Amino acid sequence: MDTLFDLPEPETPEQAVIAHYRLSDDEYGSRAEREAIFDAERAMAVAVAKAGVGEVDGNEFGGGEAVVYAYGADAEALFKVMEPTLRSLPFRPAHVVLRRGSRETESRVDL
């Protein structure tokens, strides 16, 4: 390896579940909306860790949207554990992107 960027590729590509929720305004949503996202994120983190399928990695708010990120070896297994909580959030429109390695291998699930 000659440079910092010549890192070996991981043996198993990391997969992702990325949930997108539309909020009530064009900024960061209401305090109650943010708290609901934080509570759901904590619940999913516990469920994902208990199932051993990956990790919930955080969130992003802005532009009237909340996004929750989770990563693991199998996006389908990760989504299966997260799905009940993802569907319980009332914000719509909402969708989840299941990324299986690259953008070419992703699919969308409307909530």
Side-chain angles (χ1 to χ4, degrees):
M1 288 188 248
D2 295 330
T3 68
L4 176 65
F5 301 106
D6 286 340
L7 299 174
E9 290 294 320
E11 288 182 29
T12 306
E14 190 169 59
Q15 297 188 16
V17 173
I18 306 166
H20 298 260
Y21 292 94
R22 185 78 190 138
L23 301 174
S24 63
D25 64 27
D26 290 336
E27 295 295 323
Y28 305 104
S30 69
R31 181 183 193 110
E33 288 172 322
R34 291 189 303 275
E35 287 299 323
I37 296 288
F38 297 145
D39 290 345
E41 184 180 351
R42 284 189 287 273
M44 289 184 290
V46 169
V48 165
K50 185 176 179 180
V53 294
E55 68 176 325
V56 176
D57 191 43
N59 61 61
E60 186 175 83
F61 288 85
E65 184 178 59
V67 182
V68 177
Y69 300 91
Y71 301 95
D74 181 342
E76 294 290 338
L78 189 56
F79 178 65
K80 185 175 181 179
V81 171
M82 297 172 66
E83 185 176 13
T85 305
L86 291 169
R87 289 192 184 279
S88 74
L89 287 165
F91 317 115
R92 298 294 184 271
H95 69 276
V96 175
V97 174
L98 303 178
R99 186 171 295 154
R100 297 168 196 85
S102 68
R103 289 189 185 268
E104 292 79 36
T105 57
E106 65 183 36
S107 60
R108 176 181 165 137
V109 177
D110 290 320
L111 298 176

